[in-house]
Amino acid sequence: MRRQRKNQNLISTLSNFFVFFLLAAFVTTCCVMLFISTLQGSIGRRFTQEEITTAAKITMLNVILLSVGMAVIDFIRRKLTVERPVKRITEAAAKMIGGDFSVRIPTTARFASDDSFNEIIDVINKMAEELSSVETLRTDFIANVSHEMKTPLAVIQSYGKLLQAPDLPDEKRMEYAKAMTEASRRLADMMTNILKLNRLENQQIYPNPTVFDIGEQLCESLLLYENVWENKHIDIETDIAEGVCVYADAELLSLVWSNLFSNAFKFTEEGGKVSLSLAADDTYATVRITDTGCGMSAEVGAHIFEKFYQGDTSHATQGNGLGLALVKRVVDILQGEIGVESTVGVGSTFTVKIRRTEHGLQKAR
């Protein structure tokens, strides 16, 4: 391959030399002929054959020297302005093909190269940066899935061995069976959420928007957790505007409320309070879900929408860190907005804005 490339470079150099030679010969010959013709007419004397032959030899030597000079200058120019940046680009591309996405190509000096190469370099650097982020997310995702699966599988394996004891009391047998059931449920929920998130991220789920009353949907979603708030003696406070309709996919939006309510009740201690409010203007329906739980720091709040991120590890057995990632993806697909305000020891407020009309949704697109 290298020998073939060298031969191609040699052929290219010789071809350029002959092009410059022919060009210089043509221009120089025309200039010399014009000069001799003008000079003979001015001085009234015709040059002898010997004088013309000598001038032709000197002219040919000049043509050769000019051609060599231009070929050398063009060779250096191509080395500096074309081959060097192309070599950098191809070497970087080869590293990216090999899986090294940390590579970055330095830009070339503008006086020594066509600025078009810098545009290509900028695009390749951005592509490498994006690929690096994707690779990091993929690696983290695999590591997190493996870690999250180990815990429930270890629980199932451990209690499965304990259940094999022949003299195990019925009370213990029920306890171990319940623990295995809970671990398998957690594993199944994680697989379900992973599949949903994967389909959402790969645009395999397409919204089927309709106009519906979002207040009614919120009440129905909240009532699903009635047993939870009664068992934990949590106060419920609602301020829901009536007749607020939105243009969205009701099934996808129900995932948002389910996850947000689940988190609110999970992090709110006994005797706490969960508040729900719904307000609307011409463009958005704004939903706020507030709890009096443990709250979170600004650092934790900046990562809560990432897959498998769990800021409060004390509740890790109750979830898998995928719920809020699902929420964020659904809200993005529905062209909405989501934000969180939280204070450690006070609680958190999640604010979701959903577009109300089809016209608004189309305008956002």
Side-chain angles (χ1 to χ4, degrees):
M1 180 65 73
R2 289 184 177 178
R3 180 176 296 178
Q4 184 179 1
R5 192 171 295 171
K6 287 182 178 179
N7 290 336
Q8 289 177 349
N9 290 336
L10 179 61
I11 294 172
S12 176
T13 301
L14 292 175
S15 299
N16 289 337
F17 170 77
F18 283 115
V19 169
F20 288 129
F21 176 80
L22 293 174
L23 180 63
F26 175 75
V27 173
T28 305
T29 300
C30 291
C31 292
V32 169
M33 290 178 64
L34 180 62
F35 173 76
I36 292 175
S37 177
T38 304
L39 185 61
Q40 288 182 145
S42 299
I43 63 177
R45 175 180 175 275
R46 297 188 64 83
F47 294 104
T48 64
Q49 185 65 37
E50 184 179 355
E51 292 174 330
I52 294 176
T53 301
T54 302
K57 291 179 180 179
I58 296 174
T59 301
M60 177 58 70
L61 180 62
N62 287 333
V63 167
I64 294 173
L65 291 176
L66 284 172
S67 300
V68 170
M70 286 189 288
V72 170
I73 292 173
D74 181 66
F75 177 79
I76 296 173
R77 180 194 64 80
R78 284 189 295 107
K79 279 286 184 183
L80 294 176
T81 63
V82 179
E83 293 184 15
R84 182 178 293 182
V86 167
K87 184 179 179 181
R88 289 179 181 173
I89 293 171
T90 53
E91 288 177 350
K95 290 181 179 179
M96 283 190 279
I97 291 172
D100 181 8
F101 301 118
S102 63
V103 62
R104 298 294 183 272
I105 310 172
T107 55
T108 58
R110 293 192 175 185
F111 67 90
S113 175
D114 186 350
D115 200 47
S116 299
F117 280 112
N118 284 336
E119 294 179 9
I120 297 173
I121 288 171
D122 288 340
V123 171
I124 292 177
N125 285 339
K126 289 179 181 178
M127 180 179 68
E129 187 176 348
E130 291 297 323
L131 288 173
S132 178
S133 300
V134 170
E135 180 65 17
T136 301
L137 287 174
R138 186 186 70 85
T139 304
D140 290 345
F141 182 80
I142 293 173
N144 285 324
V145 168
S146 302
H147 175 74
E148 292 292 333
M149 289 181 66
K150 282 181 180 178
T151 304
L153 287 174
V155 170
I156 293 171
Q157 185 178 17
S158 299
Y159 283 109
K161 289 181 179 179
L162 292 173
L163 283 172
Q164 295 175 17
D167 56 346
L168 188 68
D170 289 341
E171 183 181 345
K172 287 292 184 181
R173 193 181 303 276
M174 290 295 294
E175 180 184 343
Y176 297 160
K178 183 179 179 181
M180 290 178 65
T181 302
E182 182 62 26
S184 61
R185 181 200 60 77
R186 183 184 172 197
L187 191 61
D189 288 345
M190 183 179 66
M191 292 297 104
T192 300
N193 284 337
I194 288 174
L195 290 173
K196 285 180 181 177
L197 188 58
N198 182 63
R199 292 177 65 191
L200 286 169
E201 289 183 336
N202 291 320
Q203 294 294 330
Q204 293 177 356
I205 295 179
Y206 299 97
N208 181 26
T210 57
V211 177
F212 63 94
D213 192 318
I214 190 173
E216 291 182 2
Q217 186 187 53
L218 285 167
C219 291
E220 291 172 0
S221 298
L222 182 60
L223 287 173
L224 293 175
Y225 295 88
E226 185 175 2
N227 290 335
V228 178
W229 82 59
E230 287 183 349
N231 291 335
K232 295 180 72 172
H233 307 290
I234 295 174
D235 291 333
I236 303 298
E237 182 180 280
T238 59
D239 180 16
I240 300 176
E242 295 184 359
V244 178
C245 292
V246 296
Y247 182 76
D249 188 312
E251 185 177 352
L252 285 179
L253 201 54
S254 67
L255 288 174
V256 174
W257 314 135
S258 177
N259 279 283
L260 292 181
F261 283 136
S262 175
N263 280 346
F265 290 120
K266 179 172 70 175
F267 290 106
T268 300
E269 301 296 336
E270 288 194 19
K273 183 172 71 173
V274 172
S275 302
L276 167 65
S277 70
L278 169 64
D281 55 25
D282 292 338
T283 306
Y284 289 104
T286 303
V287 178
R288 288 185 174 86
I289 299 174
T290 303
D291 63 68
T292 57
C294 58
M296 67 186 96
S297 64
E299 181 181 358
V300 172
H303 298 280
I304 58 171
F305 295 114
E306 297 176 6
K307 294 188 287 289
F308 292 105
Y309 185 82
Q310 291 181 311
D312 182 7
T313 55
S314 64
H315 293 80
T317 57
Q318 303 177 35
N320 47 54
L322 288 172
L324 290 178
L326 273 171
V327 167
K328 181 66 167 64
R329 185 61 184 142
V330 169
V331 172
D332 287 344
I333 288 176
L334 297 179
Q335 301 289 337
E337 300 175 10
I338 184 169
V340 60
E341 296 177 2
S342 186
T343 303
V344 177
V346 177
S348 304
T349 298
F350 283 86
T351 302
V352 180
K353 292 184 175 182
I354 301 297
R355 291 190 174 273
R356 298 195 61 190
T357 63
E358 180 179 3
H359 172 72
L361 184 62
Q362 291 174 344
K363 185 177 180 181
R365 290 176 181 170

